[in-house]
Structures are given as C-alpha cells and as structure tokens.
C-alpha cells in the first residue's frame, strides 16, 4: 500500500509552475507508487480527491565520475489534476 513517504518531492520548474496555475501538481515519487495509491495519499493526507492522475516512469541517467560509471535512481512522475477550486495549503516553493 502506498504511503506519504513514497512522495519524494513536488517539482518546481517553469513548466510545472505554469501547470499549477491551471490546477495541476507535478509530484516525484518512488517507482513503486501507483495511480490509485497516489489518489489515496492525496485523499488521506491533503483532504483532496484528484480528478485525474497521469503518470510516467523516468529512468535514471547514466553518469561518469572520474572514469567510473554510475546511475541516478529511477523515479515516477505524476501529473495530478485537482478538482475546480481545490487547493493544497503548503505548496510553497
């Protein structure tokens, strides 16, 4: 079952700030999070039931450091559309 600890961060970029003005929040989570699990977390912890959730899985980049190969971790990104007029209180950058 999904938990609030699976949410890693709310992403703040030019694109995501523009989406927030339209009621869409972009959330970075662990790869094991599901759409239904995220809906439950939003309902339980934020008191808002999302009207729509889109997801994408992003593989970590392969990087080199001093000639050694390493990889950044994989994560999921969710685009959460909130119902009209709903807000989450602590969404400050």
């Amino acid at each position: 079952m999904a938990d609030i600890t699976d949410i890693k961060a709310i992403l703040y970029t030019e694109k995501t700030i523009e989406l927030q003005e339209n009621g869409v929040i972009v959330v970075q989570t662990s790869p094991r999070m599901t759409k239904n699990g995220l809906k439950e977390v939003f309902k339980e912890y934020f008191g808002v039931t999302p009207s729509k959730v889109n997801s994408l899985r992003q593989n970590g980049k392969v990087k080199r450091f001093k000639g050694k190969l390493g990889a950044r971790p994989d994560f999921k990104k969710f685009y959460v559309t909130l119902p009209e007029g709903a807000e989450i209180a602590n969404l400050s950058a």
Side-chain angles (χ1 to χ4, degrees):
M1 186 172 141
D3 193 12
I4 189 76
T5 58
D6 287 331
I7 295 178
K8 302 297 181 198
I10 295 175
L11 300 178
Y12 294 101
T13 62
E14 286 184 37
K15 180 181 177 180
T16 61
I17 290 172
E18 188 175 311
L19 287 171
Q20 281 183 8
E21 294 171 359
N22 298 325
V24 178
I25 298 172
V26 182
V27 180
Q28 180 180 347
T29 66
S30 65
R32 69 187 190 124
M33 180 69 89
T34 62
K35 287 183 180 184
N36 289 331
L38 189 71
K39 284 182 182 181
E40 289 175 12
V41 169
F42 264 76
K43 187 184 294 184
E44 184 177 339
Y45 290 97
F46 300 116
V48 175
T49 303
S51 58
K52 184 175 167 183
V53 177
N54 294 335
S55 67
L56 71 95
R57 184 171 173 269
Q58 198 157 359
N59 293 327
K61 291 182 177 180
V62 175
K63 295 288 192 172
R64 291 182 185 273
F65 182 71
K66 294 188 178 179
K68 308 255 186 211
L69 276 179
R72 292 183 179 170
D74 299 344
F75 63 91
K76 270 191 177 177
K77 192 164 36 172
F78 287 93
Y79 291 85
V80 181
T81 304
L82 299 177
E84 192 71 31
E87 286 186 3
I88 294 179
N90 46 1
L91 272 184
S92 58

